[in-house]
């Protein structure tokens, strides 16, 4: 069954319009309600796409029926998107809002995954000071290179499930950069997947400068 037929099958029974799919779709709006169900196991209630994790709620303005759909369907089928003042957004602004909302869900999911990993670590490592690490993370949204090295080492030691890409490193302060530049090569390899692309460039540039200086005659 093609997309159009799937949408027709799903949208007409819950809309006031029961023959014209485009007119039926025009009855629906997205007001910004969205949910992370944490596992990709739901089905889009508009197009039947499988493995949906992030659900976006659309509501029928005529009968108040609700559908939970994937974010891409909002743009694909031109579902109206409502702005912060209740105004209907243009197509381009609507795409930007939906993308921003989805990015927010993804970011929040990564933070939740990170915190859960730290909580699991604290449950098996009596020496791990979880409160200070979480406090620092909530304030800066990242960890210093030394903090990060400590975390990754402890998580791997106790075989705690985690994703390195969720653990961000801060290099805003000079002392943070110096921590990184002074770090042993094996630690750098361990942390490499935590680096942003720009941080990888900063580190590589510093190592090139260091190598050049070491080659200069005394």
């Amino acid at each position: 069954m093609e997309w159009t037929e799937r949408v027709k099958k799903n949208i007409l029974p819950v809309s006031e319009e029961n023959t014209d799919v485009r007119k039926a779709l025009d009855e629906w709006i997205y007001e910004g309600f969205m949910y992370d169900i944490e596992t990709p196991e739901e089905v889009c209630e508009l197009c039947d796409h499988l493995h949906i994790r992030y659900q976006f709620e659309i509501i029928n303005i005529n009968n108040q029926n609700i559908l939970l759909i994937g974010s891409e369907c909002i743009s694909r089928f031109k579902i109206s998107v409502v702005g912060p003042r209740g105004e209907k957004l243009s197509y381009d602004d609507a795409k930007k809002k939906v993308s921003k909302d989805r990015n927010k869900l993804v970011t929040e999911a990564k933070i939740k995954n990170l915190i859960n990993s730290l909580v699991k670590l604290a449950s098996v490592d009596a020496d791990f000071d979880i409160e200070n690490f979480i406090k620092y993370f909530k304030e800066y949204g990242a960890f210093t290179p030394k903090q990060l090295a400590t975390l990754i080492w402890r998580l791997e030691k106790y075989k705690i499930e985690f994703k390195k890409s969720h653990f961000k490193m801060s290099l805003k302060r000079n002392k943070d950069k110096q921590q990184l530049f002074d770090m042993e090569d094996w630690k750098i390899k361990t942390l490499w997947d935590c680096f942003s692309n720009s941080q990888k460039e900063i580190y590589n540039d510093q190592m090139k400068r260091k190598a050049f200086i070491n080659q200069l005659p005394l």
Side-chain angles (χ1 to χ4, degrees), residues 179-192:
Q179 281 184 16
L180 180 66
F181 299 151
D182 292 339
M183 199 168 281
E184 299 95 325
D185 289 345
W186 68 269
K187 286 186 179 180
I188 295 298
K189 291 179 181 179
T190 300
L191 300 181
W192 194 249

Side-chain angles (χ1 to χ4, degrees), residues 195-211:
F195 288 29
S196 66
N197 289 334
S198 61
Q199 288 172 343
K200 290 177 181 178
E201 290 180 7
I202 290 172
Y203 179 77
N204 286 332
D205 288 344
Q206 177 64 16
M207 293 304 101
K208 288 177 183 178
R209 283 194 290 269
K210 185 177 179 179

